[in-house]
Amino acid sequence: MTPKPIRTVAGTGRAAPAGRFDRRLIAPMILGSILNPINSSMIAVALVPIGVAFGAPPSETAWLVSGLYLATAVGQPVIGRLVDMYGPRRLYLIGTALVGAAGLMGALAPSLGVLIAARVLLGLGTSAAYPAAMQLTRSETERTGQDSPAGVLTALSVANQTVAAVGPALGGFLIGVGGWRAIFTVNVPLSVACLVLGAMWLPRTTTARERRGVDLPGMLLFSATLLSLMYFLMSPRLAHWWLLPLAAVAAAGFALRELRTAVPFIDLRVLGGTAPLLVTYLRQLLGYTTLYCFMFGFAQWLEEGRGLNAAGAGLVLLPLSLSALTVSGLTGRREAVRGKLLVGGVLQVVGCGLLLLLHSDSPVWLLLAVGVVMGIPQGLIGLANQNALYRQAVPERIASAAGLLRTFSYLGALGASAAGAAFFAHGADTVGLHELALFMAAGSVLLVLVILPDRSLSTLTPTLSPGKA
């Protein structure tokens, strides 16, 4: 039987509380994990004022969105694997320090190019905290012998979903008070808080982890595959056709490498034998493509098609966060993965239908109603997929598996960005919004069709490490 790891609180020498989850971990876990969604969502209402400030068209400011997602889509599983190997504390502190540096860089950026570079650095910096939080949750389950992570997983999901939803409103407020640079400056105090809490409470484990080497070739081939594919998604045109065969060649090389190396970056043999986990990643991709299409597309239409300013658009999107928070809080203690996914998928279809009713003179109550409806699946889908992954993933690779879940979220975000660029090619007008809504509806219907036949979601059981058997 594998011995339980003995953990001490960093800087204190005190042992973690026996028999129950160490609640001192919750604050740094949640605060660190929201750094990515808050930066992902605040930018939605800042694209227009940033474009005006630098005289840049939407096709250029779109890189502020895409640059962060390119970095995080690659960074999450890579850093997640390092968390699995070396523990969460070191990666968490390095990542959150990068967030503060990126915030200063963005606040002082003299050009759009420097601003995009700051967003890329933000993406890398925010890639550590969520895998670290999932690894800490798993290690606490093993340390205490109690498989009761629902409350902690719900807290993570509620925080992330709510912050993602409230981000546009917060961004609009910050822009109204201090201009668009304020959405970068806010990262500095957040970073400091994470560093202080992380240094105080994140544990050092005394048991050695698997450190037989980092699969650098595998990481590079994985990165090349994702970057080629995502760059094509950001600008899907005939001139960029060569990116698809490049992605295919890199993917083939990655698969060959991972199947032959003793300590792979992503164990394809294990992953290939876990079909339910692969379907979870597909659901995450479909669900988040629609969610991000709505967040970015609706926000831009409110400013350009409806004529609201950034602060007004943020306020209209506020019911989105309230709806997501309420639903996550009410349903979080019960896993009910399949039921949550079905309700979320169906309501996404309904929300897309409501978007088709909007016009430039639509009443405010209808705009608010759309946000309420779309907030419900935002509160359900991410939480359900996170719970499914926690049960389906190999415990020893929970951080890298969680990083991959985020990667599929960002692939959805990049797909949404590409769709927005295509349907809003001549501005975020009502015709473009309706075309975007039809695209979203197709993806939401496909999500429901993926969920319906999957009966395994109703019978998910706890996954125990070998030492717990």
Side-chain angles (χ1 to χ4, degrees), residues 203 358 386 397 407:
L358 297 182
Q386 178 180 262
R397 288 176 174 260
T407 292

Side-chain angles (χ1 to χ4, degrees), residues 249-280:
V249 170
F254 170 70
L256 189 62
R257 165 72 187 182
E258 299 308 276
L259 291 172
R260 290 186 173 182
T261 188
V263 187
F265 162 50
I266 296 176
D267 195 333
L268 296 181
R269 289 176 292 263
V270 172
L271 191 60
T274 315
L277 182 58
L278 295 176
V279 177
T280 294

